Amino acid sequence: MKLRRRLGIEWAGVALAASLIVTALIYWNSLSGFDNLLYDQLSEYDRPEASEEILIVAVDEDSLAAFGKWPWPRDRHANLFNILADAKPKAIAFDILLSEPGDTDEDQLMAQAARQNDNLFLPLHFVFPGSNGADFDVKEPITPLKEAVTGIGHVNLLFDRDSVVRRTSLCFGGITDPADSAKTVWPHLMEQVYRSVSGGRSSAFDSLENCQKPLLMPYANRGAFSQVPYAAVVNGEIPAAFLNDKIILIGATAQGLGDQHPAPLGDGGTVAGVEIMANMLNDIMADNFIAPVSTGTQILLSLIPTWILLIGFWRWRPRTTIFVSIGLVAVILVASAVLLSFQIWFAPGAALVGLGLVYPVWGWRRLQATSDFMGGELKNYRSETPDIPVLQSSLGPVDLVTEQAEELAHAIKHVRDLRRFITDALTNLPDPMFITDLDGKVKFVNKLAQTGVEDGAQDLALDDMLDRFVAPEDLGDVKNYLALDQQAREHDYIDFTSLNDEVFAMRRARVLSNEGELRGHIHYLADITEVANAAQEREEVLQLLSHDMRSPQAAILALLDGQDATDDNKRIESHARRTLALADNFVGLARIKSSEFSGEDILLSDLVIEANDSLWPLAKQRGIKSTVDDQTDGAFIVGEPSSLYRSFANLIDNAIKYSPDSSHISILLRNISLDKQPFVSVTITDQGNGIAEDMLGNLFERFASNDADSKGVVKGTGLGLNFVAAVIERHGGTIRAENVREGGAQFTILLPLAPEPADAD
Amino acid sequence: MDETCLPDEEIDGRFGKIPIYYVKLCKLGVVALVKSTNIDVNKIRVGNLYEAEAMGCLLSLPGKTRMRIAIADDDREVVDFLGKIVEEQGHVFVGFADGDALANALLRDTFDLVILDWNMPGKTGMQILEWMEGAVDDRPPVMMMTSRTAKQDISDALNAGADDYITKPEDPNVIAARINAILRRGNGSTAMETTAQYGDYILDRIEQKVRHNKTEVALTAKEFELTDLMFRNRDRTLSRRYIMETVWRTNAHLATRTLDMHVSRVRSKLSLTPENGFRIFTVFGYGYRLETLSNGV
């Protein structure tokens, strides 16, 4: 969780930084050097054909040699104009600035010669910055010439940062507005030439949004344009037919004249201004210009590969991302080249920088975050498990990440050992156990459980496993138990018999995660077969004892019935009855200790009355009157009727036994309240000699003396009172014995009242 | 006693002259009068004569009959003891020392009552009881005899189909009364008289009043019906269900405390104490029994 968040933040940071850098690089055009280089390289493969129509009349070294140093007198140009007028070329562009007035006669002469030609254009140029705070000054040709020629056009060159002329603007000055063109816009000299030849604006010019947007200008190979020396034309060495129908560009090519500029021709050399004009005209005619994509588009396109990679970081492995990065570089370059062939220029530099930047930076940040996280986790782990062998034995100094990785390897090994240990411990547990997950799938079964279930119980559905393990008659109960919540269950364990007739007690415990989330359950099975068998045997012994001890006594009593009531017979009968009572008490006591309490609604007064009734013959024989006074008006208790009945019978029997003849035994039932809890109290009072003082303390203990002393004082009743005490305690009640002042023993029993039933009528 | 069919005739019944479609003289001298031919007389057993009686279609013929009683107990003394009691009542008995011998005899011989000990060599009392349900046609009534006193054992036996039970040891007079109670089922005394006397108690069934020692005891209608039912079935163990269905005439759930309270009130209002010759005995988990104590009267 922690690492995820940290990585998310790191990622967002890297993404933002990369995007900003790419945008800035494009905005400030910082990568033009690289982009231009690439452009030069790419344009190498697709140079336009030079038009045959274009002819350069060059002021070259030969002409300078023939006519002397530059600048020449303007009548020489007039001379050239005259010669050209005779040859009737399509158009003439005179790429030599004539903005300063010279010798007036010569100027007039030149203007006159210029008028001879139909399509003669002169250049104008701009001076930056302009005078008097203007952006620029326009330097037009001198007025006589300007009036004499067909048109003028600008010849400003655009230099890239490396001073190479790759671009050109077809016009200069503000928005291209056809209606207002003359005033604010100066078309390029070549555009003017083209218009005069073709009779309309070039399509490149038409598609311009504004003059500020330069176009890339493909160059034909060096020397591709026909060129004749100025001197040769003036000297008549060039036949008029050769000049006829040509577009003639006149300009300086001689090195010394300064009109030489670097051009993207791959050879690092310079090209004469007039030749740049020729290339430009050539491009206008063939519509060869290349439009760079707008800055916005450039930013968007450049960000795409970076973001592909950024998103890919979340999904791909580092190896994949490196391949993808390399692939993206190739794609960018190829796309750039392909676009170029469609006359669109996308500068790939920023996109490549984005890619190049984001990969290592992310790699760094990710490593940092992971390393920090790992360091923290390892620290936690170390503090939780002090016995972990921390990397003490590292071989010399290594870098932090390596150290962490080695420590992690140690921790993993430790965990593996631990798991192995736990698995071994669980597997070899003497009692069966299994672990289930929240979907009810068995996740772990130890050996013993597996022997009962067959192999391959892992990942088995719990119900299926139980089907294979639990005897069908207990299956429902077990499933019910497991379906219930911890709180909802009546017992915290359940007994069941397996298909192999073993008896198990199963307990279930929750498995919680570190954060306290419920993960599953552990089920412990204790083999209680022997205990269950022992319980079964004990029950059988009890049954047997109960029957076999009673039967002979019953037979004795049956035998005596027909006999005369001699003293001996009476004694035999009394002893037989005592043995019976002993057996009943013994079995009753054993049952109580071995069985769970299961009470039912009992009307206590009637139970006491019936117990009293059952002893009536005994009382009658001795003239004793035993009466029940019920003041409760229907007091119900929750109890086990048989044992309660026996208990009261025991108490009343005792009372009769130790009462003098013709005395009275009173049994009183009352409702009382103890700590605001309703109880019913039963008091049995006789008129005998009471209980010996030394016996009062341990009257209810087992095997207290059963003998009455010579005076007939009660000293205990063997199991009888012990049984009574156990029963009353089992019912959540109390019993107390005391001697009343008038003489005689009094037993007081308190039993909690049953709750009122909801449907009482 | 062999089965005999009587000719069709009318007979005085509890509810006046009853036309008899089919009369069968059964063992025990019981005459089953079946109003509807829908009931197969052969299927009426003594064990479910209560049902016929409750429907008002069962009457018995007057006259005392000598009964034949099987007594099974592995203890010779007990068999003799019981045999003596039975003979004093004018019946004859056959003793068996183990369950298998009894089972064989039951297949070949006819008895009016079987007294079964719980624990015996061979088949135990409970096994015999279960076996009889399926194996013996026209099963005679069964009295379980046991040294076991646990509540569960007794209610199990009664619910398994025993007609009554006696715990050993028991007073001979009580045993005689209990045996007679079972045998009396078909005897004439179930015929309803307008008044009936039981010991010092006189029941007026028209006025629904009880007089005890010439004192009139005020009872509610339900209390009277309960009293009447218990007196008529004295010395016989009645299930709570039977009492509820007969007195409250409902199968529906009746709060168990209701019956407890009625029995308690009848007990105290009528002073049903041993001094007066009667005691009400609760058979926990099953029902009640009104016992007569001959030595008390």
Side-chain angles (χ1 to χ4, degrees):
Chain A
M1 304 292 143
K2 234 170 67 188
L3 180 63
R4 255 168 196 282
R5 190 149 166 266
R6 164 87 190 267
L7 280 178
I9 293 167
E10 294 280 2
W11 181 85
V14 170
L16 188 68
S19 303
L20 284 177
I21 288 171
V22 168
T23 307
L25 286 176
I26 293 166
Y27 189 79
W28 282 297
N29 201 18
S30 314
L31 295 169
S32 58
F34 171 81
D35 287 333
N36 288 338
L37 205 67
L38 192 76
Y39 170 80
D40 294 352
Q41 209 61 46
L42 288 173
S43 52
E44 191 86 359
Y45 302 108
D46 187 24
R47 299 216 176 276
E49 289 289 316
S51 170
E52 306 245 315
E53 276 186 290
I54 298 169
L55 176 70
I56 296 170
V57 175
V59 181
D60 54 1
E61 272 82 5
D62 291 347
S63 302
L64 285 178
F67 294 129
K69 74 170 177 64
W70 191 263
W72 294 334
R74 287 183 181 166
D75 57 350
R76 188 160 293 142
H77 299 316
N79 196 15
L80 178 67
F81 288 168
N82 286 330
I83 293 165
L84 288 177
D86 292 343
K88 301 238 181 286
K90 263 189 186 164
I92 301 163
F94 189 77
D95 183 24
I96 291 161
L97 293 171
L98 299 165
S99 44
E100 306 86 19
D103 181 276
T104 315
D105 292 345
E106 285 176 5
D107 288 349
Q108 286 298 333
L109 209 60
M110 195 174 167
Q112 209 169 351
R115 283 198 190 90
Q116 306 290 311
N117 288 283
D118 290 334
N119 290 319
L120 177 62
F121 295 90
L122 289 181
L124 63 83
H125 74 124
F126 309 102
V127 176
F128 301 93
S131 51
N132 302 326
D135 283 345
F136 54 85
D137 286 343
V138 181
K139 296 285 183 188
E140 293 193 329
I142 49 171
T143 314
L145 277 173
K146 185 181 161 193
E147 284 164 357
V149 297
T150 317
I152 54 176
H154 87 83
V155 289
N156 273 42
L157 291 174
L158 291 177
F159 298 98
D160 284 341
R161 262 182 218 170
D162 53 1
S163 305
V164 176
V165 182
R166 294 186 184 83
R167 280 156 239 261
T168 183
S169 44
L170 287 180
C171 58
F172 186 88
I175 308 297
T176 309
D177 183 357
D180 199 19
S181 60
K183 255 192 178 174
T184 53
V185 175
W186 291 269
H188 195 272
L189 184 65
M190 289 302 112
E191 172 71 15
Q192 298 285 53
V193 170
Y194 177 79
R195 284 181 190 174
S196 72
V197 173
S198 67
R201 290 196 300 239
S202 70
S203 58
F205 190 94
D206 276 340
S207 60
L208 278 181
E209 284 159 28
N210 61 57
C211 290
Q212 260 67 47
K213 192 181 171 188
L215 295 171
L216 281 156
M217 173 170 56
Y219 278 76
N221 285 321
R222 186 183 288 277
F225 294 97
S226 313
Q227 188 175 334
V228 291
Y230 189 103
V233 177
V234 174
N235 294 339
E237 291 165 25
I238 308 298
F242 184 72
L243 300 173
N244 181 247
D245 266 353
K246 289 270 163 55
I247 300 168
I248 293 169
L249 307 180
I250 301 157
T253 63
Q255 290 292 334
L257 296 183
D259 194 16
Q260 293 280 335
H261 309 284
L265 282 169
D267 52 8
T270 55
V271 170
V274 69
E275 213 173 327
I276 293 172
M277 297 293 153
N279 274 298
M280 187 173 164
L281 182 61
N282 191 41
D283 288 337
I284 292 174
M285 282 157 60
D287 199 10
N288 276 339
F289 288 112
I290 290 162
V293 296
S294 71
T295 309
T297 315
Q298 175 82 32
I299 290 170
L300 273 179
L301 288 177
S302 301
L303 284 177
I304 287 173
T306 306
W307 277 87
I308 287 175
L309 202 57
L310 277 169
I311 291 165
F313 286 147
W314 283 116
R315 308 212 156 267
W316 302 325
R317 300 163 148 276
R319 193 176 27 185
T320 314
T321 41
I322 188 80
F323 286 135
V324 171
S325 311
I326 293 168
L328 282 171
V329 168
V331 166
I332 291 165
L333 292 174
V334 169
S336 197
V338 169
L339 284 173
L340 191 60
S341 73
F342 286 100
Q343 291 176 264
I344 297 167
W345 173 236
F346 166 73
L352 294 177
V353 166
L355 279 183
L357 199 66
V358 87
Y359 185 82
V361 170
W362 172 243
W364 162 51
R365 291 318 305 166
R366 175 147 72 173
L367 188 63
Q368 185 65 54
T370 311
S371 169
D372 290 352
F373 175 76
M374 221 154 72
E377 290 293 300
L378 282 170
K379 200 173 145 202
N380 286 346
Y381 182 69
R382 245 182 273 127
S383 64
E384 280 167 18
T385 50
D387 60 334
I388 176 131
V390 185
L391 200 75
Q392 306 291 7
S393 60
S394 86
L395 302 165
V398 285
D399 85 302
L400 179 72
V401 176
T402 313
E403 200 173 305
Q404 279 175 342
E406 281 174 15
E407 202 176 316
L408 185 67
H410 259 83
I412 289 172
K413 183 175 178 295
H414 185 254
V415 169
R416 215 182 272 155
D417 286 350
L418 210 61
R419 203 175 68 173
R420 172 95 216 160
F421 169 76
I422 292 168
T423 309
D424 283 354
L426 289 178
T427 308
N428 295 319
L429 270 182
D431 283 329
M433 57 83 68
F434 56 92
I435 299 172
T436 53
D437 65 8
L438 287 179
D439 301 329
K441 286 260 189 304
V442 177
K443 282 300 177 204
F444 183 88
V445 180
N446 77 353
K447 272 183 200 156
L448 282 174
Q450 270 175 334
T451 54
V453 174
E454 297 163 30
D455 287 333
Q458 238 139 320
D459 263 344
L460 197 69
L462 176 60
D463 280 358
D464 290 348
M465 199 194 90
L466 292 176
D467 289 345
R468 294 196 208 168
F469 189 52
V470 181
E473 62 267 23
D474 287 341
L475 201 56
D477 288 345
V478 172
K479 285 183 180 173
N480 280 345
Y481 170 83
L482 291 178
L484 286 174
D485 250 356
Q486 199 97 17
Q487 286 82 13
R489 272 185 268 127
E490 204 173 332
H491 303 288
D492 57 354
Y493 67 91
I494 184 168
D495 295 347
F496 67 88
T497 310
S498 77
L499 287 173
N500 300 340
D501 279 335
E502 297 152 312
V503 184
F504 289 103
M506 179 162 78
R507 271 186 305 151
R508 188 172 79 162
R510 293 141 71 91
V511 181
L512 300 177
S513 73
N514 232 357
E515 289 78 32
E517 241 174 292
L518 184 63
R519 287 280 172 80
H521 291 99
I522 305 182
H523 307 264
Y524 304 96
L525 279 72
D527 189 343
I528 55 160
T529 312
E530 286 184 15
V531 179
N533 287 346
Q536 178 77 26
E537 263 169 44
R538 185 167 61 174
E539 182 57 26
E540 278 163 16
V541 167
L542 278 180
Q543 292 275 4
L544 197 76
L545 216 57
S546 150
H547 180 262
D548 288 8
M549 276 171 79
R550 289 182 60 94
S551 285
Q553 310 305 320
I556 291 168
L557 291 171
L559 262 178
L560 284 170
D561 188 66
Q563 312 293 318
D564 294 333
T566 62
D567 272 0
D568 281 353
N569 284 351
K570 273 185 186 165
R571 278 200 199 143
I572 294 171
E573 188 186 333
S574 149
H575 281 291
R577 287 199 187 278
R578 245 169 72 185
T579 315
L580 267 177
L582 194 67
D584 285 348
N585 287 338
F586 177 75
V587 172
L589 210 50
R591 278 245 168 75
I592 278 177
K593 301 215 162 143
S594 68
S595 65
E596 277 181 51
F597 181 82
S598 74
E600 58 188 77
D601 260 8
I602 296 169
L603 188 54
L604 188 64
S605 57
D606 282 35
L607 183 130
V608 173
I609 289 170
E610 285 179 21
N612 189 43
D613 285 354
S614 74
L615 292 159
W616 176 76
L618 204 63
K620 194 193 157 213
Q621 274 176 14
R622 303 194 28 222
I624 296 170
K625 215 168 156 54
S626 171
T627 53
V628 178
D629 179 10
D630 174 22
Q631 300 179 356
T632 62
D633 190 27
F636 280 89
I637 61 155
V638 177
E640 293 175 325
S642 306
S643 61
L644 273 181
Y645 179 86
R646 257 215 91 62
S647 300
F648 284 108
N650 276 352
L651 289 171
I652 298 166
D653 188 33
N654 270 345
I656 292 169
K657 212 178 286 173
Y658 299 109
S659 281
D661 288 356
S662 307
S663 65
H664 183 240
I665 296 168
S666 90
I667 304 167
L668 176 64
L669 279 88
R670 279 181 307 165
N671 282 318
I672 65 158
S673 190
L674 215 66
D675 292 337
K676 294 187 180 162
Q677 300 294 312
F679 282 85
V680 54
S681 101
V682 184
T683 322
I684 301 168
T685 317
D686 63 40
Q687 296 173 330
N689 290 331
I691 305 157
E693 287 299 323
D694 59 333
M695 285 302 299
L696 270 175
N698 55 357
L699 194 63
F700 298 105
E701 276 172 29
R702 203 166 201 173
F703 303 124
S705 164
N706 193 25
D707 294 326
D709 65 14
S710 51
K711 288 178 280 176
V713 176
V714 182
K715 291 191 82 177
T717 53
L719 283 181
L721 285 181
N722 183 232
F723 172 80
V724 172
V727 169
I728 300 300
E729 187 191 355
R730 191 173 164 80
H731 283 77
T734 58
I735 181 165
R736 198 178 68 227
E738 61 206 316
N739 290 323
V740 288
R741 215 170 298 153
E742 300 81 29
Q746 186 174 67
F747 287 85
T748 307
I749 294 121
L750 291 184
L751 288 166
L753 218 55
E756 280 296 314
D759 58 347
D761 56 342
Chain B
M1 188 171 292
D2 292 328
E3 295 177 5
T4 315
C5 284
L6 292 182
D8 285 3
E9 57 180 333
E10 282 190 338
I11 200 166
D12 277 334
R14 193 187 299 176
F15 306 104
K17 296 275 185 194
I18 297 172
I20 302 169
Y21 298 110
Y22 189 74
V23 178
K24 187 178 179 187
L25 180 65
C26 300
K27 294 173 264 181
L28 310 177
V30 172
V31 178
L33 301 186
V34 181
K35 272 197 202 169
S36 163
T37 47
N38 288 343
I39 298 175
D40 183 352
V41 178
N42 287 310
K43 284 195 177 155
I44 297 181
R45 304 238 172 91
V46 176
N48 54 25
L49 284 180
Y50 299 131
E51 293 168 21
E53 189 181 50
M55 291 190 295
C57 12
L58 196 74
L59 291 174
S60 59
L61 288 174
K64 197 156 182 170
T65 324
R66 179 183 289 243
M67 302 289 175
R68 200 150 172 274
I69 298 171
I71 301 173
D73 196 312
D74 57 332
D75 198 331
R76 178 85 211 147
E77 311 292 348
V78 174
V79 175
D80 288 348
F81 171 69
L82 290 172
K84 207 166 76 185
I85 295 168
V86 165
E87 279 175 343
E88 276 170 7
Q89 300 293 314
H91 307 302
V92 292
F93 80 94
V94 183
F96 298 94
D98 66 82
D100 293 333
L102 174 66
N104 285 332
L106 282 171
L107 286 175
R108 289 178 283 102
D109 210 343
T110 310
F111 296 97
D112 299 307
L113 173 68
V114 178
I115 301 177
L116 261 182
D117 186 31
W118 192 295
N119 285 59
M120 278 189 295
K123 284 194 174 72
T124 67
M126 278 299 271
Q127 284 169 339
I128 296 267
L129 194 58
E130 280 158 19
W131 169 81
M132 277 170 83
E133 281 295 326
V136 180
D137 284 340
D138 224 352
R139 176 174 76 73
V142 173
M143 170 89 83
M144 287 298 280
M145 184 86 180
T146 176
S147 301
R148 295 171 184 239
T149 50
K151 170 197 135 191
Q152 194 63 40
D153 292 337
I154 290 162
S155 59
D156 279 355
L158 290 171
N159 288 324
D163 297 82
D164 213 335
Y165 77 96
I166 300 172
T167 49
K168 289 191 281 187
E170 187 57 279
D171 185 86
N173 292 319
V174 172
I175 296 173
R178 302 283 288 282
I179 290 171
N180 283 333
I182 289 195
L183 296 177
R184 193 172 58 233
R185 257 169 227 169
N187 230 310
S189 55
T190 42
M192 299 284 252
E193 304 293 334
T194 52
T195 58
Q197 179 158 9
Y198 306 95
D200 293 338
Y201 296 88
I202 298 166
L203 274 67
D204 183 338
R205 294 192 171 112
I206 294 167
E207 296 287 315
Q208 298 218 318
K209 280 172 184 163
V210 178
R211 257 172 298 151
H212 177 227
N213 292 338
K214 303 203 173 116
T215 320
E216 202 168 273
V217 183
L219 294 175
T220 66
K222 288 281 179 257
E223 284 166 2
F224 181 83
E225 277 186 61
L226 180 63
T227 308
D228 193 13
L229 182 72
M230 291 209 290
F231 271 115
R232 270 189 286 123
N233 293 287
R234 63 200 178 280
D235 292 313
R236 206 181 118 197
T237 309
L238 298 175
S239 72
R240 300 177 71 94
R241 194 182 159 82
Y242 175 72
I243 296 171
M244 285 187 184
E245 285 178 9
T246 312
V247 176
W248 277 269
R249 294 188 186 83
T250 174
N251 278 327
H253 171 72
L254 191 66
T256 56
R257 288 185 176 189
T258 307
L259 181 52
D260 291 330
M261 287 305 292
H262 274 83
V263 171
S264 179
R265 267 183 232 127
V266 165
R267 188 203 304 267
S268 72
K269 280 184 178 177
L270 296 180
S271 302
L272 292 170
T273 58
E275 287 93 336
N276 293 325
F278 291 97
R279 61 182 268 217
I280 293 175
F281 187 81
T282 307
V283 182
F284 291 110
Y286 187 77
Y288 294 96
R289 182 170 67 231
L290 177 67
E291 290 183 353
T292 56
L293 295 141
S294 53
N295 51 347
V297 183

